[in-house]
Structures are given as structure tokens and as C-alpha cells.
Amino acid sequence: MNVAVTQAETLATDWARVFFAGKSVLVTGGTSGIGAAIASGFVSSGASVVATGATLAEVERAQSEPGHAGIVFHELDVRDGEAVTDLIGSFERLDVLVNCAGIIRRGHELDPDIFASVVDINLNGTMRTCSAARALLAKSGQGAIVNTASMLSFQGGGLVPAYSASKGGIVQLTKSLAIAYADDNIRVNAVAPGWIATPLTEALQADPERSEAILSRTPMKRWGQPQDIVGGVLFLASPAAAFVTGAILPIDGGYLTT
Ligand code: NAD
């Protein structure tokens, strides 16, 4: 892994231990990619972490990976409101909710049914977990939600209209819940990752033309790694960001500046 990425992650988790030791964290979409890196980052910061994946197979695969020691994995399909309520209802306390569950169906999202299913996971799924977690986060006294936006929160995507619409929606949902939950002292923010090397972007990484277009627009001239996102999430979830709510933090190697 890039030295700067490892150093950033180590620094962030060292620093975050002051806040997260003994805290309870839930990361949806935490069996893979960005969510798994975030879950590991919270474990390294001393938190108790539950991370979820859409299927039992994903949960079992994640459990067997050595880098995931200390994370408790559960199956959770965020389309299933009852399952969301049951899982979150089983927590005794919850201090941080990170919504990372997401899919993309590149090239198929002009089909209205596929459009609806992508939005149901990426946007409605986030609303379901936020709503189910609100009471516990309020009880925490310093509750925090970190949602996952995208570069496609800001740009259209001709091959990914559902993904783009859902991620645009995440920005407005984040701002709206920041207002709605402020009385409960729950802060609601989002990270907007740039182009990160995960299973979700495998097709793009394998497409030399698209990959080159992405790299040439990214001032830092590399694909991001899942670990690049960890420091920003820990910051937004921590009391160091006590007056930060409704913010969307791009973590993109400068992509949005060009
Ligand atoms: P990934 O494919 O590695 O991980 C996706 C996760 O979402 C997995 O844990 C999977 O189990 C879960 N998931 C999928 N469908 C689900 C469902 N119905 N219910 C519950 N969980 C479900 O992808 P990733 O790149 O790590 O993506 C994580 C998040 O980051 C997504 O919200 C994605 O949109 C966002 N994101 C990714 C990038 C990128 O470049 N990789 C950029 C911006 C935003």
C-alpha cells in the first residue's frame, strides 16, 4: 500500500483512540472495500464495531479475512426495514452510525426497475438505518452519523443515473437530517470519496480509457485506497468535529478541484 495511505490511517486511529475507546459503532456495507476499512479503523481506535454485509456469503468471506480481526459481522439487507429495526434494536448502545452500503449497476440503470432498486439500497437504505438508530444515538449524547456520498453526488452519470441520483440524494438527506436531528445532539455528515479501488469500481479500473480519464483529472494522480477514507470518517464522527454538521467532505485526491 502507498506509504502516505498507511501513515494517514495510523495517525488517524492513534489520535482517535482518545474518543472512541469503549464506544459502539455500526458500519453498514462493512464487509468489503471502504466500509471494511472504516470498520477496521474504528477497531484500531478502540471501539466495539459491528459491520454488516448484504449476504451471508459476504459476511463469511469478511470474517475469514485476517485484517478484519475484532469486527463483529452481521448479515443485513438495508432494503429490509424490519431487519434494520431488529438489528439496531439489538444494540445496547450506539454512538456512531456509518452508512456505507451501496451498489452500482453501470450500464443498466436506465431501466426503471433497476433504477428503483439502486435508489432503494443507496438512499432509502440510508434513511432506514438513520431512522432506526436515532433513539440510540440520541441516548449516546454525542451521537454521530457519517453517510457516504460520491463524486456522482455532484456530477451526472449517463451510465449510472440511479447511482448519481441516489448519491445526490445522500447530500440533501445528510443536510436535512443534520437539521432534523440537531435537537438530539446527533451530528449528520457525509464523506464524498473520489475514485477508490474497491470491488465496486473494478469495471472502471479495468477500462484503460476510463481509468486514464480519472487519473488525469485527479491532481494526486492515483486511485484512492479504502484506507484513504478512514481519517475523514473518524474526524467527522468524533467530538473534534463537535460543531460540524450537514457537511460533505470530499476525499478525492483533488478530483473536484479540476
Ligand atoms: P463494495 O462493493 O466493496 O462494498 C459494498 C458494500 O455494500 C458491501 O459490504 C455490500 O455487502 C454492501 N451492500 C450491497 N448491497 C447491499 C444491501 N442491499 N444491503 C446492505 N448492504 C449492501 O463497494 P465500496 O466501493 O466499498 O462502496 C462502499 C460505499 O462507498 C458505497 O456507498 C459506494 O457507493 C461508496 N462510494 C464508493 C466509491 C468508490 O470509488 N469505490 C466512491 C464513492 C462512493
Side-chain angles (χ1 to χ4, degrees), residues 187-199:
R187 295 177 304 99
V188 188
N189 293 290
V191 286
W195 304 93
I196 312 297
T198 71

Side-chain angles (χ1 to χ4, degrees), residues 78-94:
V78 295
R79 288 172 296 188
D80 182 344
E82 210 176 309
V84 168
T85 312
D86 285 352
L87 178 70
I88 293 177
S90 71
F91 279 66
E92 274 174 23
R93 65 176 286 178
L94 186 64

